[in-house]
Amino acid sequence: MKRKLFIMLTLMFTVLSTWATPPQQPHKSEAEKFVQNLAKIKSDEISYAYISANMFKQLFIKTDLDEEIQESISFIKSLKSLRRFFTNGKQGYDVMKAALQPLLQEKEEVLGMTLMASNRDGGGMVAIYSGLGNTLVVTDYGNNTTITVVFVAGLSYESFLEFNDLGINFY
Amino acid sequence: MKKILFTLTILLLATGSLVAQEITNPELKKFIEELNASENGARNVSKDEEKGIYVINSVDKESYKALSAIIEKYDIYFAEEIFGMELMFSTRESGSQTTIFQGDTYGLAITDNAHSLDLVVIIVKGSAAKLFFEIRETGDAEIHSHEVYFNNRDSDVYIGESSITGERPAELIDISEAESIERRIPGDIILELFDYYMPMIQELKRRAQNATSKEELKMLKASADSIRDVWEAEIALIDYWIDQRVAPGEVKIPSTGKVFIVIPKNAKSGIYEWINSTDFCNTEGQEYNILTATQVAMLYTTKKKEPNIGWNLESYSDSIKTYFASEIPGNEPTYLYRRSITAEGYERMKNDLQQFFYLDGKNKNHRYKGFKTIERIDTNEYCFLHLYDGCTTILIYDSPTGKHCQMDIIVGGIETFNDAMNEISINGKRDIFKEENIIICDGKIELMEGEVDINGVTYDSGVHFTTGYMKKLK
């Protein structure tokens, strides 16, 4: 009897525990979490912008862009958000550079993304990472002042290239 | 930013299109109650329950802190969804953050300027972002500043020709690069190029809107791309030229043929920085020019063709002609002049130069921008200053009664013009200017023979540099 009661109580507790569990946050990739944390760095020398997919589409579709671009954008259903960071001073640059170390090393695999392209020129570098449907572009201008990071959640590398073809570039 | 949100609020109040309902979302209601309950400091609160608008903003440090604490408690600045509303956009720049959430029923906009302790929260029944767009489409200038997210070179996402307004040259080059280039290239050159190329692109864009086939559209797009490439290449070329310069000089814009004066990026003398500053370059009501050795040579050639010049220019030796015809690196007798041509120009110039007049000529350690007074002449009609910083000579002539001011700068390691003669060596031969009896006057070369009287001082030979006023004395 005691054993039955124990099993029943255990089952009830398990069920109640499940009910009591708060709703899970939508799953975020390692890269998304990394960029989300990046947004917590506050500095007068770091500009930050977040644009939701809705906003992004509204902006484009409601303007006088040619149909080809509008259609292409509307087809990218997976687009979730766009984040951009931009440093404009030594202090902001140093802070951002330290935070971006995993990405600036141009490893072939990092934060669940694959290095798709990189280029070094005149002390600067550009690296494009993509994985799990997200794309990230990091640009170090090599002037000890400017680093930009653009992270587009929900944009595959193929779509990213498609945007490029349309003349919409992310720096 | 506050102004933008204020405009937004006013427009919202004016629309009257919102459904008259009180806030029903329990979480949002609680949030508003907390904002209201905060009693620290002074706050401004305005409500229009009929239209469903609620605005609260901080007025002092205490209220800023209190409201900030509530915002932080809800982690609003880092949330992508709150009170059933989706984060539409958020920007942070120079200590100021703006965040807008949009839901099916409500909209929330917050702007927070930590530097000015200014925090504004706006809650609307309806869609804040949607209204934001409606306002934006009216072309409200204030709202345009919101578009920095997308197409202003000052920040953020760079979107090529497909920028929203298509009015700015943001598609030319990456924003950050543009900023760094602009620091070297005078803004006038950027504008000149913009005025030259942008109409071409706009025309192609206009034609693209009326294109009747995909092929035509592609062709027009390719043409626009090609123009942008040329534009970009020209900027890169000009940037390179400026980068290569070691002294102030002219740059001719290949596309337009217009000539601009540029100052080298890494000028050795601090005076260059000043010359290159916005204040100095604001020469409205003034005449401003720089002559390099090459230009001097050109003037020389020009004068040679003038029949009534009165000088036997043929008597110039080959060596001086060679000198004038080529710039000698590090030894360019670059000459810059700036003179007022209107009363307003005079006032501005006097204002820019006033610190030089305060220099104590008797104290050789008293300097301004590195310059000390070598000579000062004060009369009832004018004041003349001869200044030197160990590298550059400045002559300033000020006539308050005549409302005329002139400044001449000669660059190079010379203190006096007699020194210049001794410093400049051509083919190992010194005193060549002395032999040639040359005066540079108002940017022109004139030969003189025998003695010349400049400001009461008699020079028997040499390179004499005179201001416009001194020319009258001659």
Side-chain angles (χ1 to χ4, degrees), chain A residues 105-163:
Chain A
Q105 289 164 14
E106 295 166 90
K107 288 180 182 168
E108 288 184 15
E109 295 288 336
V110 68
L111 300 170
M113 296 183 294
T114 304
L115 180 63
M116 307 304 283
S118 75
N119 183 38
R120 284 183 179 274
D121 188 18
M125 65 85 78
V126 182
I128 304 173
Y129 296 88
S130 193
L132 299 173
N134 306 316
T135 299
L136 183 147
V137 184
V138 57
T139 311
D140 181 346
Y141 287 79
N143 57 5
N144 291 325
T145 305
T146 317
I147 288 185
T148 60
V149 180
V150 177
F151 180 77
V152 193
L155 186 77
S156 66
Y157 188 60
E158 289 70 30
S159 299
F160 170 81
L161 294 177
E162 201 175 316
F163 268 117

Side-chain angles (χ1 to χ4, degrees), chain B residues 398-413:
Chain B
D398 171 36
S399 168
T401 48
K403 291 278 178 195
H404 177 69
C405 189
Q406 170 154 342
M407 177 176 63
D408 302 83
I409 299 177
I410 187 163
V411 179

Side-chain angles (χ1 to χ4, degrees), chain B residues 281-466:
Chain B
C281 291
N282 181 6
T283 50
E284 197 179 333
Q286 295 161 24
E287 195 181 326
Y288 173 64
N289 205 355
I290 290 178
L291 296 174
T292 64
T294 305
Q295 292 166 293
V296 171
M298 285 165 69
L299 284 168
Y300 158 69
T301 313
T302 310
K303 277 198 169 291
K304 210 171 170 181
K305 291 174 185 168
E306 293 176 15
N308 56 356
I309 187 77
W311 304 106
N312 179 15
L313 295 171
E314 296 297 337
S315 66
Y316 277 114
S317 67
D318 287 342
S319 56
I320 195 76
K321 287 176 188 170
T322 306
Y323 176 79
F324 281 148
S326 63
E327 293 184 20
I328 301 169
N331 222 353
E332 293 178 40
T334 301
Y335 164 49
L336 179 151
Y337 69 84
R338 180 180 171 188
R339 62 174 71 102
S340 63
I341 52 176
T342 66
E344 290 75 23
Y346 168 76
E347 294 301 334
R348 186 179 293 114
M349 203 164 158
K350 270 299 292 288
N351 188 47
D352 287 353
L353 305 180
Q354 59 179 319
Q355 293 298 329
F356 289 116
F357 290 99
Y358 297 149
L359 281 173
D360 178 1
K362 290 173 186 167
N363 181 356
K364 296 298 177 193
N365 293 321
H366 195 204
R367 288 170 179 258
Y368 177 64
K369 291 190 184 294
F371 285 84
K372 64 180 180 182
T373 306
I374 300 294
E375 184 184 10
R376 177 175 183 133
I377 300 167
D378 284 291
T379 74
N380 291 334
E381 291 180 2
Y382 68 89
C383 174
F384 172 74
L385 291 177
H386 176 184
L387 310 160
Y388 180 62
D389 75 340
C391 172
T392 300
T393 298
I394 295 180
L395 302 176
I396 298 174
Y397 163 76
D398 171 36
S399 168
T401 48
K403 291 278 178 195
H404 177 69
C405 189
Q406 170 154 342
M407 177 176 63
D408 302 83
I409 299 177
I410 187 163
V411 179
I414 54 170
E415 185 163 2
T416 68
F417 299 105
N418 281 322
D419 286 346
M421 291 184 297
N422 297 325
E423 287 292 322
I424 296 170
S425 165
I426 298 167
N427 297 333
K429 188 180 175 187
R430 289 182 178 271
D431 296 347
I432 195 149
F433 287 87
K434 195 182 286 185
E435 287 176 12
E436 300 289 347
N437 286 332
I438 296 168
I439 287 181
I440 300 174
C441 182
D442 283 342
K444 296 169 188 170
I445 303 167
E446 292 182 27
L447 282 176
M448 71 167 197
E449 292 171 352
E451 292 183 347
V452 63
D453 182 73
I454 297 175
N455 205 29
V457 179
T458 303
Y459 297 86
D460 52 6
S461 61
V463 180
H464 299 294
F465 181 81
T466 62

Side-chain angles (χ1 to χ4, degrees), chain A residues 1 4 10 31 38 62 72 104 120 136 145 148 166-167:
Chain A
M1 185 64 188
K4 241 182 187 177
T10 308
L38 216 55
K62 284 172 76 84
S72 302
L104 295 174
R120 284 183 179 274
L136 183 147
T145 305
T148 60
L166 293 168

Side-chain angles (χ1 to χ4, degrees), chain B residues 70-342:
Chain B
I70 297 167
I71 306 286
E72 275 178 32
K73 180 185 153 192
Y74 282 88
D75 203 21
I76 290 177
Y77 291 149
F78 301 112
E80 290 180 25
E81 183 271 329
I82 195 149
F83 311 137
M85 291 179 273
E86 181 198 349
L87 175 63
M88 293 304 287
F89 69 81
S90 178
T91 64
R92 199 186 306 137
E93 192 170 10
S94 306
S96 176
Q97 175 151 356
T98 298
T99 306
I100 292 187
F101 292 86
Q102 175 188 340
D104 292 337
T105 321
Y106 301 102
L108 167 68
I110 300 173
T111 181
D112 176 356
N113 189 330
H115 294 315
S116 59
L117 300 174
D118 186 22
L119 196 151
V120 186
V121 180
I122 301 176
I123 295 155
V124 293
K125 181 83 177 169
S127 160
K130 185 166 174 255
L131 285 163
F132 164 77
F133 278 117
E134 285 171 2
I135 293 162
R136 187 182 71 81
E137 284 174 356
T138 65
D140 186 305
E142 290 297 331
I143 298 299
H144 268 282
S145 64
H146 257 137
E147 292 178 7
V148 295
Y149 311 131
F150 307 102
N151 68 348
N152 185 302
R153 66 171 52 183
D154 287 336
S155 72
D156 302 332
V157 184
Y158 156 61
I159 308 180
E161 192 195 2
S162 313
S163 61
I164 294 158
T165 63
E167 289 168 357
R168 299 190 183 99
E171 62 266 31
L172 261 185
I173 34 184
D174 176 70
I175 297 143
S176 325
E177 195 185 342
E179 283 173 350
S180 64
I181 284 178
E182 270 196 296
R183 277 194 284 275
R184 301 196 294 271
I185 299 180
D188 286 350
I189 294 182
I190 296 287
L191 284 176
E192 170 85 2
L193 291 171
F194 179 70
D195 289 344
Y196 182 77
Y197 285 110
M198 205 56 198
M200 297 184 202
I201 290 178
Q202 280 173 337
E203 171 60 17
L204 289 168
K205 215 172 172 184
R206 189 191 61 73
R207 284 169 58 192
Q209 282 170 351
N210 301 321
T212 50
S213 68
K214 277 195 170 180
E215 287 70 29
E216 189 187 358
L217 199 66
K218 271 189 178 174
M219 188 269 290
L220 291 166
K221 191 174 181 309
S223 301
D225 285 346
S226 165
I227 291 171
R228 274 199 303 279
D229 287 346
V230 174
W231 189 351
E232 195 169 345
E234 192 167 346
I235 281 189
L237 182 66
I238 294 166
D239 186 44
Y240 173 76
W241 285 343
I242 293 173
D243 222 30
Q244 296 300 305
R245 291 210 65 83
V246 294
E250 289 185 348
V251 161
K252 189 175 182 181
I253 308 302
S255 54
T256 66
K258 195 165 175 183
V259 176
F260 288 87
I261 293 158
V262 296
I263 309 294
K265 183 179 60 169
N266 299 315
K268 288 172 189 167
S269 169
I271 192 72
Y272 289 163
E273 283 178 25
W274 177 54
I275 291 170
N276 205 21
S277 69
T278 312
D279 282 346
F280 194 92
C281 291
N282 181 6
T283 50
E284 197 179 333
Q286 295 161 24
E287 195 181 326
Y288 173 64
N289 205 355
I290 290 178
L291 296 174
T292 64
T294 305
Q295 292 166 293
V296 171
M298 285 165 69
L299 284 168
Y300 158 69
T301 313
T302 310
K303 277 198 169 291
K304 210 171 170 181
K305 291 174 185 168
E306 293 176 15
N308 56 356
I309 187 77
W311 304 106
N312 179 15
L313 295 171
E314 296 297 337
S315 66
Y316 277 114
S317 67
D318 287 342
S319 56
I320 195 76
K321 287 176 188 170
T322 306
Y323 176 79
F324 281 148
S326 63
E327 293 184 20
I328 301 169
N331 222 353
E332 293 178 40
T334 301
Y335 164 49
L336 179 151
Y337 69 84
R338 180 180 171 188
R339 62 174 71 102
S340 63
I341 52 176
T342 66

